[in-house]
Amino acid sequence: MEIYLDNASTTEPFPEVIDAMMPYLSDEYGNPSTIYSIGRRTRKAIDEARDTVAGLLSVKSSEISFCSGATESICTLLIGAAFAAKEGRKKFVTSSIEHKAILKVAHWLMDYLDWEVTLIDPMPSGHINPKEFTEACSKGCGLASLQWVNNEIGTIQPIEEVGLKLKGMGIPFHTDVVQGIGKFPLDLGATGIAMASASSHKFYGPKGCGLSYIREGIDVRPLLVGGGQELERRAGTENVAGIVGTATALSVLARGQKAFVERLVELERIFFDTLNSSGIEYALNGGEPRVPGMMNIFFPGVESESLLLHADREGLCISAGSACASGSTEPSYVITALGGNRMRGLCSARVTFGWHNTNEDAITGAKTIGSIVAKLRGST
Ligand code: PLP
């Protein structure tokens, strides 16, 4: 039986999500753009899902559109906003520790639209200095993006401060909320954010679905054009089951928000208590504020690749940095950006708890890691 401690990579869908989706994978298969009743019913399901999501994020329904996931949302919003940027404002500001989806768009803007890109490095704690970020946006900036929560180390960025300042400066500001959803209440409307992207499978919803937030009045050119679906923002017949599953996942999370966060804090405490009693040397990457239950740990002298392979043999699923980076022996660019050396970037592993984990998972996970690290160091 596997112990799954890689919830930042993807999550097990809530049973309520599967139940809500099932009818739209079987009897309720109508195309939402048709006028007969089976199509009208799927249209209604999408409309209701949009209202639910908008209500939970404190924004208007017309500001939410569904797509295939965060990567699509990020590409669409950033490239679409760049095409709509004001004359003479061809500068994109973001951080050097963003997910690859953002960093690759930065390259795309340089390569294909001749934009200038400024990457802000984090402080050693893994946080971006809001003053440094907004100052970098003061001249010629046409677009900025900052992740809410880092996907490798869980640090929470000063989104409200940056968002409100950039709103005042008239700069469209996008945030990647992928790792933030469910970890704290998200009141997008109050933050000054112009655009946001999320993936449903990161918050106990289905894969292949995600959402975009575009504040009213923000100009984003659509990249997928055709049938005009999703408020003309993303053409193509909708993934009705995915959309319904997304709204259900968000509702379940919102209902249990406080208990969920308390649970993550508890699992993290149990994990570290157990790891400490194993006596092995380690250090946590990234400082506070950080989301609970997302720990990136440096084990000096133990390459994460070996640790992960041994863990897998014992049925423990953990990762080294982002999932997209696994399989590569390059050190984590996030850990090295914190000022860590190459060795720290190569010898750090990520453990992330989720809704389905038990206390036993935390204890066994920590014991397994402790004994593998000790074995790899040759101390047993
Ligand atoms: N942004 C962050 C912070 C992520 O963690 C991920 C996935 O790991 C993505 C974007 C991309 O999400 P997806 O692969 O679901 O499109």
Side-chain angles (χ1 to χ4, degrees):
M1 186 63 181
E2 277 171 345
I3 296 182
Y4 185 76
L5 302 185
D6 196 17
N7 288 273
S9 168
T10 195
T11 57
E12 179 183 340
F14 288 132
E16 293 92 328
V17 168
I18 307 292
D19 289 347
M21 289 174 70
M22 281 317 277
Y24 301 97
L25 295 170
S26 50
D27 297 347
E28 298 292 342
Y29 55 82
N31 186 322
S33 299
T34 53
I35 57 151
Y36 37 79
S37 55
I38 189 172
R40 287 203 307 275
R41 289 200 296 274
T42 47
R43 163 66 44 218
K44 186 163 173 280
I46 293 176
D47 291 345
E48 285 174 1
R50 198 187 315 282
D51 290 346
T52 302
V53 169
L56 292 170
L57 300 179
S58 306
V59 299
K60 295 180 188 158
S61 294
S62 56
E63 295 174 323
I64 296 292
S65 49
F66 296 103
C67 60
S68 69
T71 300
E72 182 191 324
S73 177
I74 289 166
C75 290
T76 303
L77 298 185
L78 294 182
I79 295 173
F83 275 123
K86 294 192 191 106
E87 211 36 52
R89 286 182 165 258
K90 291 175 75 165
K91 180 165 126 181
F92 176 52
V93 177
T94 189
S95 87
S96 60
I97 57 167
E98 297 295 305
H99 187 271
K100 281 275 166 66
I102 302 274
L103 296 175
K104 288 276 170 85
V105 170
H107 274 281
W108 195 98
L109 294 176
M110 286 196 285
D111 293 347
Y112 298 115
L113 295 186
D114 210 18
W115 275 47
E116 184 192 328
V117 170
T118 302
L119 296 180
I120 306 295
D121 281 328
M123 298 180 278
S125 67
H127 299 96
I128 298 297
N129 179 332
K131 196 158 174 286
E132 188 184 351
F133 192 90
T134 51
E135 273 175 13
C137 297
S138 63
K139 279 202 194 102
C141 174
L143 184 62
S145 188
L146 183 60
Q147 60 192 183
W148 206 313
V149 172
N150 182 271
N151 48 296
E152 290 198 31
I153 55 175
T155 45
I156 303 173
Q157 301 300 349
I159 293 301
E160 285 97 337
E161 197 176 336
V162 170
L164 291 172
K165 179 91 180 157
L166 293 189
K167 189 178 182 190
M169 290 161 72
I171 296 168
F173 174 54
H174 169 268
T175 187
D176 169 349
V177 293
V178 169
Q179 299 289 349
I181 291 210
K183 311 287 171 38
F184 35 76
L186 283 177
D187 184 351
L188 293 186
T191 52
I193 292 169
M195 297 169 278
S197 300
S199 258
S200 316
H201 72 102
K202 304 280 189 180
F203 56 88
Y204 312 94
K207 291 176 186 60
C209 199
L211 56 95
S212 300
Y213 161 66
I214 306 176
R215 195 176 72 222
E216 200 171 82
I218 298 293
D219 194 2
V220 178
R221 306 276 152 85
L223 299 190
L224 290 187
V225 292
Q229 289 90 344
E230 285 307 291
L231 320 170
E232 301 274 353
R233 295 199 191 114
R234 198 267 189 183
T237 302
E238 300 89 334
N239 172 3
V240 185
I243 291 171
V244 169
T246 298
T248 307
L250 216 50
S251 306
V252 175
L253 266 182
R255 276 204 301 276
Q257 172 86 55
K258 198 163 163 284
F260 176 46
V261 173
E262 282 169 7
R263 186 76 196 117
L264 292 178
V265 170
E266 177 68 355
L267 287 167
E268 180 171 324
R269 187 192 61 72
I270 295 170
F271 176 84
F272 278 126
D273 282 354
T274 314
L275 198 61
N276 289 339
S277 53
S278 76
I280 57 157
E281 184 200 348
Y282 72 87
L284 191 65
N285 292 312
E288 296 293 335
R290 184 173 66 77
V291 291
M294 186 157 168
M295 299 90 70
N296 195 303
I297 311 165
F298 171 43
F299 297 105
V302 177
E303 287 201 10
S304 50
E305 210 174 283
S306 312
L307 172 58
L308 262 53
L309 284 174
H310 281 79
D312 179 43
R313 268 186 227 145
E314 304 206 19
L316 178 66
C317 309
I318 55 172
S319 79
S322 68
C324 322
S326 52
S328 109
T329 45
E330 281 303 297
S332 152
Y333 64 91
V334 173
I335 307 298
T336 39
L338 307 186
N341 53 25
R342 188 178 155 80
M343 193 40 78
R344 190 158 180 146
L346 283 172
C347 297
S348 293
R350 185 184 70 178
V351 176
T352 47
F353 289 112
W355 188 243
H356 299 91
N357 288 125
T358 61
N359 293 357
E360 204 43 49
D361 291 344
I363 294 168
T364 311
K367 278 188 181 161
T368 307
I369 291 172
S371 71
I372 295 171
V373 168
K375 193 157 79 190
L376 290 173
R377 281 185 183 146
S379 54
T380 56

